[in-house]
Amino acid sequence: MQCYTELLPPTGVTHSLALPFISESANNLVVARTSRLQIFSLLDVGPRPGGIEEQGVPKLVLEREYALPGTVTDLCRVKLLNTKSGGEAILLAFRNAKLALIEWDPGRYGICTISIHYYERDDSTSSPWVPDLSSCGSILSVDPSSRCAVFNFGIRNLAILPFHQPGDDLVMDDYGELDDERLGSHGLESGTDCDMTKESIAHRAPYSSSFVLPLAALDPSILHPISLAFLYEYREPTFGILYSQVATSNALLHERKDVVFYTVFTLDLEQRASTTLLSVSRLPSDLFKVVALPPPVGGALLIGSNELVHVDQAGKTNAVGVNEFSRQVSSFSMTDQSDLALRLEGCIVERLSETNGDLLLVPTTGEIVLVKFRLDGRSVSGISVHPIPPHAGGDIVKSAASSSAFLGDKRVFLGSEDADSILLGWSVPSSGTKKPRPQARHTEEDSGGFSDEDQSEDDVYEDDLYATVPEVVVDGRRPSAESFGSSLYNFREYDRLLNIGPLKDIAFGRSFTSLGGEENAGNDSGLELVASQGWDRSGGLAVMKRGLELQVLNSMRTDLASCVWTASVAHMEEAVSKTTTQAENRECHQYVVVSKATSAEREQSEVFRVEGQELRPFRAPEFNPNEDVTIDIGTLIGKNRVVQILRSEVRSYDGGEFTLLMMPT
C-alpha cells in the first residue's frame, strides 16, 4: 500500500554519462537522479566569452526523462550492433543485482528496453555469512571496446555479460535460451518501451548468454574486493581489480599496513576462463578506487584517501602523497606533496582532454585540482598535483561531486547530490602570458609543475624520483604549486542543473508580498514550504510554492483569443548568414501572434511586434489571408523559416520586405 505522495522528484544527480545516444553523431548527457533518468543534448547558444576561436556557449537541453522502478547504482555506455538510432546503448545497474540494457528509439522519440537481467538466485546468495543483496554495494564496468561487461554483486560474485561485435565468433553463434538470467519484456516505464519476446531475442540479441563466477575462480586470494575497472588498449577484455586478503582496518593499521593488491586479469569469453597478467602487492591500505586511463597515459590510477598511485601496463608504479597522513599510513614509495592537505575520500576524477593525460580531480570540499603525468614516450615517470586558484575558476564547484562525464571540446559535467550540477568548461591562457617556471632543485611536490615544451627534464625532476630534497624558500615564501595549475587552465561555468537537496529541515508559513503585504495571488492557500538545503558553501534556503508567480511587465486587452504564439526573427540579409551561430549573434525582432475565432470555420490572426515592454500591431498581409483555422505554428532551428499549419494547407514564411519575419525563439 502506498502511504506517501512524492511532492517533488529527486533533484540531486547521482550518476552521469556522456555518449552519442539519440543518434550516431549526437553528443548527449545522460544523468540519473536516484530513480529518475534524464537525457540531455548540448546546444551551442551565442558566443563564448574569452576566445574568438570558441563558437558558442554550450547549454543543456532536456530531451526526455523517465521515472525508473528502482534505484540506479551505475551507468555505462555500450557500443552495440545495429541500434535503432545508430548511436550507443546504456547499461544501467540497479539495487538487488539487476541490469537493464536500453537504447534510443527514434520512432517513439524515447528509450527502448533491449533486455533486463537479474541475478537473485538462491544458490549465489544463500550463504549465512553473506549479507543480503540490498545491503551490498555493486560495481559495473564495461570493456572500452564493448566486448563484455562485468557486474560485481553480493561482495564476491562476478556476472559477465558478453556483447557481439563485428568479426567476433559470438556473432555466428546460435544465441539460444539465456539460462543464467531472465529477460523481462516490461520496459523501464510502462507504455514507453519496446516489448521483445524470447523468440525475437534468440535471433536478434546483441549479446550472448551471461554467466556468473565467484571471484575466487579468478584468484583464491580475492577475499575482500574493493574496486575494479576495465582497462584500455588490450586485445582481449582485461580489467584490473583492487582487493585484499584480509579486511583493511584503520584501528589495526600497525598490523594490516599495506595489505592491498592490484591484479590485472584478461578474460576468455568462449572458454569462460581468465589469465593473470600482472599483480602488484603491498599497496597502501586506504586505496578505494580503480580509474582506467585512456591513451596517452594508459594503465590505471588507484585512488586512496591520502595518495594517488599509477600502475602502467607493465606493473611499474608511481605515487604521490597529498597530505600529512600518507607517510603514516603507508610505507609505499611516493612523492611528497603533503603540503596540499587534500582529503581524497569520495573524490571524483575525470579526464580533461583526449590528447593529453591531464585529469580533473574534485575532492569532497569542492575545490578543483589538476593532476598531471610526466610522460617519457609512453612511460609514466611521475605524478604531480596542482590546486587551481580561485582566479582561474578553482572555486566554481561549491560542494562534493557525485559523478562526472567528459563531453569533449573542453567540456566536463560534474554531477552533485549536495549542490547544483555544473557543466564546466576550460580554456588555455593566452600564449602571450608568461608561464612561471619552477625554481631550480625544488622539492618533489613542486617539481610537478612541468611543461614538455618549455622545461627540460633536469629542471623538473631529480635523478631519484622518490628522494627527499631539502625545501627551497624564495623571498621568505615557499613556491606554490597553484601558479603552475593556473598557468595551464582557466575554468568557467557554462550551465547548471538545479538541486534543492539535501533538505535538512522544513517549515510551513503563509506567503506575503514583500512590498504591499498582500497575500500572494499565485498561491490560493497562501502556504509556502521553506527548507534549509545544500551543504557547506552550497547551503541556503529553498522556497517551494504551489503555483507560479508571474511578474507582469505589460498587458493588453483582447477578446476571443484562442491561441498565442511567440517568435524571434532577423531580417533576410541577417538570416542568410553562413552559420547558425552567426545568425544567432545578430539582433532579432520579437513577435506575438494571436489567433481569434470569429466563427466555427473562420478565425482572424493578429500580429504584434515587441518594442521595449509594449506590443504594437504589425501589418502582415501575407499571413493567413483566407482566415483559415491555424492549428499550429512551428519554426526551424536555422532561424530562416516558420511553418504555419492550417486546416487545409501548410504555409512557410521567411524574412523579407513584405512577408512576416518569424524565426524560433
Side-chain angles (χ1 to χ4, degrees), residues 121-135:
R121 301 182 307 173
D122 294 336
D123 57 350
S124 63
T125 59
S126 59
S127 172
W129 314 111
V130 177
D132 295 336
L133 288 177
S134 59
S135 303

Side-chain angles (χ1 to χ4, degrees), residues 593-632:
V593 181
V594 180
S595 177
K596 298 181 178 181
T598 58
S599 65
E601 300 293 334
R602 297 289 182 180
E603 76 171 18
Q604 178 183 0
S605 296
E606 295 183 358
V607 181
F608 299 90
R609 181 169 173 173
V610 180
E611 296 182 359
Q613 296 183 359
E614 296 184 0
L615 298 178
R616 297 189 180 277
F618 181 80
R619 186 174 181 273
E622 296 294 326
F623 187 78
N624 194 14
N626 299 324
E627 296 185 1
D628 198 355
V629 176
T630 301
I631 299 175
D632 197 3

Side-chain angles (χ1 to χ4, degrees), residues 62 88 128 164 175 180 213 223 226 237 269 290-291 333 335 368 418 423 426 434 436 486 513 575 602 627 647 656:
L62 179 63
E88 299 182 9
H164 301 312
Y175 306 144
D180 293 310
L213 295 174
L223 300 178
I226 300 173
L269 299 179
V290 179
V291 177
S333 180
T335 304
I368 297 179
D418 298 334
L423 178 61
W426 57 269
K434 184 178 180 181
S486 61
T513 59
R602 297 289 182 180
E627 296 185 1
R647 192 166 58 179

Side-chain angles (χ1 to χ4, degrees), residues 209-429:
S209 177
S210 70
F211 54 95
V212 178
L213 295 174
L215 283 173
L218 304 179
D219 191 329
S221 63
I222 304 180
L223 300 178
H224 300 276
I226 300 173
S227 177
L228 62 86
F230 271 102
L231 305 179
Y232 292 84
E233 299 183 293
Y234 282 92
R235 297 184 59 183
E236 299 295 334
T238 303
F239 67 90
I241 182 170
L242 201 63
Y243 67 94
S244 63
Q245 298 178 2
V246 295
T248 59
S249 172
N250 292 330
L252 300 176
L253 187 61
H254 60 287
E255 296 181 1
R256 302 181 183 181
K257 191 175 184 179
D258 297 337
V259 297
V260 171
F261 293 77
Y262 173 73
T263 304
V264 176
F265 295 95
T266 183
L267 297 176
D268 188 336
L269 299 179
E270 294 182 0
Q271 301 298 326
R272 297 189 176 185
S274 64
T275 303
T276 303
L277 297 185
L278 64 90
S279 182
V280 181
S281 61
R282 301 192 61 79
L283 291 169
S285 298
D286 59 342
L287 294 176
F288 62 87
K289 189 174 184 180
V290 179
V291 177
L293 300 180
V297 177
L301 182 68
L302 311 181
I303 304 176
S305 301
N306 311 297
E307 67 282 314
L308 299 173
V309 181
H310 178 264
V311 183
D312 65 10
Q313 294 181 339
K316 177 185 174 183
T317 61
N318 289 278
V320 56
V322 296
N323 59 45
E324 64 274 19
F325 302 109
S326 57
R327 289 297 185 187
Q328 300 178 23
V329 302
S330 176
S331 299
F332 193 79
S333 180
M334 63 183 72
T335 304
D336 184 15
Q337 286 193 255
S338 58
D339 62 304
L340 297 176
L342 296 178
R343 302 293 186 265
L344 302 184
E345 298 93 340
C347 69
I348 292 297
V349 173
E350 187 57 69
R351 58 177 172 160
L352 284 175
S353 173
E354 296 178 344
T355 58
N356 61 41
D358 294 349
L359 300 178
L360 179 72
L361 186 149
V362 182
T364 55
T365 54
E367 55 191 309
I368 297 179
V369 180
L370 179 66
V371 179
K372 291 187 65 67
F373 297 88
R374 177 169 177 80
L375 299 176
D376 295 333
R378 290 301 307 273
S379 177
V380 176
S381 59
I383 310 175
S384 62
V385 181
H386 311 281
I388 301 297
H391 66 80
D395 60 348
I396 293 178
V397 183
K398 303 300 183 183
S399 189
S402 60
S403 62
S404 63
F406 174 68
L407 295 165
D409 192 22
K410 302 178 181 179
R411 297 173 294 192
V412 173
F413 176 80
L414 297 177
S416 177
E417 295 183 81
D418 298 334
D420 293 349
S421 300
I422 297 177
L423 178 61
L424 201 64
W426 57 269
S427 61
V428 179

Side-chain angles (χ1 to χ4, degrees), residues 435 451-455:
K435 298 181 180 180
S451 171
D452 291 339
E453 298 179 356
D454 298 339
Q455 302 175 28

Side-chain angles (χ1 to χ4, degrees), residues 530-546:
V530 181
S532 59
Q533 54 86 218
W535 184 264
D536 199 18
R537 292 183 298 161
S538 65
L541 292 177
V543 180
M544 287 162 273
K545 303 176 182 293
R546 296 188 60 183

Side-chain angles (χ1 to χ4, degrees), residues 158-210:
L158 193 68
I160 301 176
L161 177 61
F163 299 107
H164 301 312
Q165 296 299 329
D168 62 8
D169 296 334
L170 295 173
V171 177
M172 305 304 297
D173 290 344
D174 183 9
Y175 306 144
E177 299 293 336
L178 304 182
D179 298 328
D180 293 310
E181 75 261 356
R182 305 176 190 176
L183 299 181
S185 61
H186 300 289
L188 293 182
E189 185 179 52
S190 177
T192 61
D193 296 323
C194 299
D195 295 334
M196 302 182 65
T197 64
K198 285 189 175 181
E199 289 75 11
S200 64
I201 292 174
H203 295 87
R204 294 163 46 197
Y207 51 87
S208 182
S209 177
S210 70

